[in-house]
Amino acid sequence: MSDTPTKAEGGLAYSDNVSIAWRKVDHELDQKHLAMVNASNEEFLRAVSVIGDAGGQKESQEASSGIVAQEVARLDLKVNLLLDLVGTLIYHQLDIPDTSPVRVSAAGVAWKGDVPEPGSTVYLELYIQRGLPKPLCCYGEVVSTAEDFARGTAKVKFTGLTGAAKSWLEKLIFRHHRREVAYKRSTGES
């Protein structure tokens, strides 16, 4: 897994070191429960999008003139600082796993480390937003090969992630990709 976003099976993907937890699921997944998980993920990804777009809003506020825009930007900075501090405190008190190399696309996730057996169904918790102690929670089918498993690599195809939740995840992945491209341009990397 490389550190750069790439076009992967299922569309654009990005790689990063994030916390991931999984557990094997031994029961059938019912549509009602999957719908609740999707609704929760949609709400979470929408909130992550708002947090991630704060930088763009600050730029547009700086471009506009007026005392009100400056005051809103100042209050926005204070609220973001408060959220960062509270998130850091909570993050350290929770039992969040260590980070590992993870590759995320709208179709699934791959990682190295503690991995499930090929063919199993798993429940995943992906802490995809740094400093935010809430994970993206989803189900998936382990599509790793026996060779992947032997190397300590897991590949999981999301199960039941549909509609708006998938769309918000695609937006998050694209934002990560855009930031990576901007960073490479600013540092002169290819």
Side-chain angles (χ1 to χ4, degrees), residues 112-124:
K112 292 183 179 185
D114 179 32
V115 297
E117 295 176 8
S120 57
T121 300
V122 293
Y123 178 75
L124 298 167

Side-chain angles (χ1 to χ4, degrees), residues 5 57 61 83 85 134 152-153 161:
Q57 291 172 353
Q61 288 171 349
L83 289 173
L85 292 172
K134 180 175 173 26
T153 301
L161 188 65

Side-chain angles (χ1 to χ4, degrees), residues 142-153:
V142 181
V143 293
S144 312
T145 64
E147 293 80 24
D148 293 330
F149 183 71
R151 287 191 310 264
T153 301

Side-chain angles (χ1 to χ4, degrees), residues 32-50 104-106 122-129 132 134-140 158-172 175:
K32 187 176 182 179
H33 181 71
L34 286 174
M36 289 186 338
V37 169
N38 266 315
S40 175
N41 284 333
E42 180 182 345
E43 183 178 312
F44 168 70
L45 290 166
R46 188 174 296 180
V48 167
S49 179
V50 168
V104 181
S105 76
V122 293
Y123 178 75
L124 298 167
E125 293 179 340
L126 294 161
Y127 293 85
I128 57 174
Q129 181 65 33
L132 190 61
K134 180 175 173 26
L136 174 70
C137 300
C138 47
Y139 290 93
F158 293 133
T159 302
L161 188 65
T162 58
K166 189 172 184 176
S167 175
W168 283 106
L169 181 58
E170 288 169 343
K171 289 175 185 178
L172 174 69
R175 187 169 55 248

Side-chain angles (χ1 to χ4, degrees), residues 44-105:
F44 168 70
L45 290 166
R46 188 174 296 180
V48 167
S49 179
V50 168
I51 291 168
D53 286 343
Q57 291 172 353
K58 289 176 194 168
E59 291 168 6
S60 66
Q61 288 171 349
E62 289 171 1
S64 65
S65 62
I67 295 172
V68 173
Q70 291 174 351
E71 185 64 21
V72 169
R74 188 178 70 76
L75 289 172
D76 185 49
L77 286 172
K78 287 182 177 184
V79 169
N80 284 336
L81 177 61
L82 181 62
L83 289 173
D84 285 345
L85 292 172
V86 171
T88 300
L89 287 172
I90 293 171
Y91 203 82
H92 290 294
Q93 292 185 359
L94 296 176
D95 188 20
I96 296 174
D98 291 333
T99 61
S100 60
V102 175
R103 181 183 186 93
V104 181
S105 76

